[in-house]
Amino acid sequence: MGIKIIVDSSADLPKEIIDRYGFIVIPLSVHFGSHTYLDSVDLTPGMFYEKLIISGEMPTTSQIPPERFITYFKNELDNGHQIICITLGSNASGTCQSAYLAREELKKEDITIIDSNCLCSGVAYIAIEVARMVESNRSIEEILTAIEPLTNNGIEHLFCVDTLEYLKKGGRIKASKAAVAEILNIKPILNVENALTQIIHKVRGRKKIIPYYLERMKKDLDYESDRIMVAHAQDLEFAKQLIEKIRSDLNWDKEIIVSEVGATIGTHAGPGVLACFYKKK
């Protein structure tokens, strides 16, 4: 009996990584007015940002309902698989709770649910870690023990938004504060703790974002880890600049996985996001 890994679409996994590890991705829903789309199924990141820019109203995202999990879980169980399901942090969404409700409904011990306690590529990082252990024939108990430090805020998430417009529209920041920050060209840098974002620093202008990321990474990157993840929202060029600096300034010769920030984060952050995810010491 093989193990199948199921991840929700908020992890923003690039296609080649989904294919490499055989991940099953369950989509969250994205709503633009009365239209509902399935994240990354009928709404790619590119299409999402196009709509976001021209839309008069803010989109919303909604958690995966238990019924959707049941459908996907049943399919894998019927094919004789055990399931490890990894979701975005329960503090950020009810998706994890939906997965537990689905498991309860199916009354199956063959379903293991992991609350990643992360967002975006932080979820992807844990999914890859789990997939590699599955490939090494580690037991589910061993896997859960090994990833416990990662799900306990062991993965740094560094985010920077290019504009405060969408945080303002979504009511995440006061309009007056956003206006002052825009005038002064202030870029807030956020990280994530227990799946919730918090501002940890502010820089003047985009040119200072990458140097700040590198400074943080020099202090707390676990050099023994196997990968760093970089995510961007419609700005591959900026992501490439960061990757170049990670390679040269940190002498990092291991894997760097690049992905596009999808609708779950993009709804609040807008285009121009640059994010970096890595295992902390």
Side-chain angles (χ1 to χ4, degrees), residues 102-147:
R103 182 176 72 176
E104 219 167 90
E105 183 75 23
L106 292 167
K107 296 183 167 53
K108 286 284 179 184
E109 302 77 55
D110 290 334
I111 304 168
T112 301
I113 293 160
I114 295 171
D115 177 352
S116 72
N117 204 23
C118 293
L119 301 177
C120 194
S121 297
V123 184
Y125 194 110
I126 287 176
I128 293 166
E129 200 72 20
V130 169
R132 289 172 62 135
M133 287 190 270
V134 167
E135 284 178 349
S136 308
N137 295 316
R138 303 276 286 277
S139 70
I140 287 176
E141 290 70 26
E142 286 175 312
I143 290 169
L144 292 175
T145 303
I147 63 150

Side-chain angles (χ1 to χ4, degrees), residues 175-192:
S176 55
K177 273 191 173 180
V180 171
E182 295 286 359
I183 291 163
L184 297 175
N185 197 17
I186 288 171
K187 308 292 180 191
I189 293 174
L190 305 94
N191 77 350
V192 170

